[in-house]
């Protein structure tokens, strides 16, 4: 399948090679292809990918209840999966 090259693709590639990587936050208008681009990038660059849609999977919202620290959130999510 041919995929349209987007600016976000370059940003994602740059993010991947950063030494001091920070969490990735992707913002933009509705229906512009954010999720598609990130999922496509993940599939091409990583062997294991977990996709969690917090809008559709309310049970995952508890991962944020007690802490906003990324380590705590990841630990909480892994206990749910």
């Amino acid at each position: 399948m041919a995929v349209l090259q987007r600016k976000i693709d370059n940003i994602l590639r740059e993010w991947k090679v950063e030494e001091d990587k920070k969490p990735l936050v992707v913002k933009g208008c509705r229906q512009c292809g954010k999720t598609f681009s990130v999922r496509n990038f993940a599939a091409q660059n990583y062997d294991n990918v977990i996709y969690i849609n917090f809008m559709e999977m309310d049970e995952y919202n508890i991962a944020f209840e007690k802490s906003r620290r990324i380590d705590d959130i990841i630990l909480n999510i892994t206990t749910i999966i």
Side-chain angles (χ1 to χ4, degrees):
M1 171 171 68
V3 177
L4 180 67
Q5 182 72 23
R6 299 181 174 162
K7 289 181 189 177
I8 190 173
D9 298 330
N10 292 331
I11 293 168
L12 292 170
R13 280 191 291 274
E14 290 171 8
W15 173 82
K16 183 182 181 206
V17 298
E18 286 179 7
E19 290 291 323
D20 189 24
K21 201 179 295 14
K22 295 188 177 176
L24 180 66
V25 177
V26 180
K27 300 190 306 184
C29 62
R30 294 182 70 233
Q31 302 293 313
C32 67
K34 298 179 299 292
T35 301
F36 176 84
S37 293
V38 171
R39 291 182 77 177
N40 187 51
F41 171 80
Q44 291 178 356
N45 290 277
Y46 298 98
D47 292 331
N48 300 298
V49 177
I50 297 173
Y51 171 71
I52 302 171
N53 184 327
F54 291 98
M55 300 285 284
E56 293 178 3
M57 302 173 184
D58 289 340
E59 63 270 22
Y60 289 100
N61 289 332
I62 63 170
F64 298 92
E65 284 183 357
K66 294 183 180 177
S67 177
R68 297 282 191 234
R69 291 187 33 202
I70 191 65
D71 291 339
D72 294 335
I73 293 168
I74 292 170
L75 178 63
N76 292 339
I77 289 172
T78 58
T79 61
I80 298 168
I81 295 178

